[in-house]
Amino acid sequence: SCNLQNLFAMASQKLVNHMDELYSHSDALEEHLCKQMESERLSRILIKLGLVNERPEYGDAWSETGDRYILKLFRDYVFHQTDDNGKPFLDIGHIIDCLNKVDIGSTEKILLTSRDERSMLVVTFEDVRRCLEETFTQLLPAQYLQHAHMRHHAHNMMYGHGYPSR
């Protein structure tokens, strides 16, 4: 009986230690996954900003009107900060913070200013997100949009989110 109790005590301690290691490993994997997901979301926003800002094939006016003008000013707000002496101020935290706020569509207001300081716009990160999505969609070829719509419709049908039109 004494040997059996000792055996159970040793086994249970090893089991607890092993479970603790598994939970620690699981937590580390979850943290890594979260970082990768955040990186992917931010990368997508950066790619879209790069694709929509100042398209030379559409001429100089492309970035000077409507949603595209907001995106141009936003790009400067995020990436072209300067200090009091006009020197570049590189603040990676500011960049990541802004991109995260666009990603979630924050209603926080920001002041966007043109380089010549003649234009000032107050917008939210949610506005920027909408402008980015709409402008990016305008660049997509019509056939891609048609295929994407068909895939979305098929997905909804497969998972019971809609019924076919009659």
Side-chain angles (χ1 to χ4, degrees):
S1 171
C2 185
N3 285 339
L4 193 54
Q5 281 181 329
N6 289 343
L7 179 64
F8 282 140
M10 286 175 30
S12 66
Q13 186 57 45
K14 285 189 181 254
L15 182 61
V16 167
N17 289 342
H18 184 66
M19 291 297 292
D20 189 45
E21 289 175 14
L22 286 175
Y23 282 125
S24 293
H25 183 68
S26 175
D27 289 345
L29 288 174
E30 185 176 355
E31 182 180 335
H32 181 70
L33 179 63
C34 287
K35 286 179 182 177
Q36 290 299 319
M37 287 173 46
E38 179 179 349
S39 176
E40 181 179 326
R41 288 191 324 268
L42 299 184
S43 295
R44 230 176 302 166
I45 292 168
L46 285 170
I47 289 168
K48 287 179 180 180
L49 278 172
L51 289 171
V52 302
N53 271 306
E54 302 186 72
R55 301 293 306 190
E57 65 274 19
Y58 294 124
D60 292 337
W62 168 260
S63 295
E64 300 300 321
T65 58
D67 291 348
R68 297 179 301 270
Y69 187 62
I70 291 172
L71 295 172
K72 177 183 175 180
L73 296 181
F74 178 73
R75 182 216 35 217
D76 287 350
Y77 173 81
V78 174
F79 296 104
H80 300 159
Q81 295 279 318
T82 57
D83 64 17
D84 293 337
N85 298 323
K87 302 282 185 196
F89 181 69
L90 307 178
D91 184 357
I92 303 299
H94 169 76
I95 295 168
I96 291 172
D97 188 48
C98 289
L99 295 176
N100 277 320
K101 288 177 181 178
V102 168
D103 183 45
I104 65 168
S106 170
T107 57
E108 179 183 331
K109 293 180 182 179
I110 54 175
L111 176 64
L112 302 179
T113 308
S114 64
R115 291 179 183 176
D116 63 8
E117 297 182 349
R118 290 184 178 181
S119 298
M120 293 184 180
L121 299 172
V122 175
V123 298
T124 65
F125 288 98
E126 182 178 38
D127 296 331
V128 172
R129 179 182 177 156
R130 180 193 49 75
C131 291
L132 183 60
E133 292 304 321
E134 289 178 9
T135 304
F136 179 73
T137 301
Q138 290 172 4
L139 289 177
L140 296 176
Q143 68 190 123
Y144 176 83
L145 293 174
Q146 182 180 6
H147 288 216
H149 176 72
M150 289 170 40
R151 282 193 310 268
H152 178 70
H153 183 69
H155 175 81
N156 286 343
M157 292 305 301
M158 283 180 60
Y159 296 100
H161 298 297
Y163 300 96
S165 307
R166 294 182 192 237

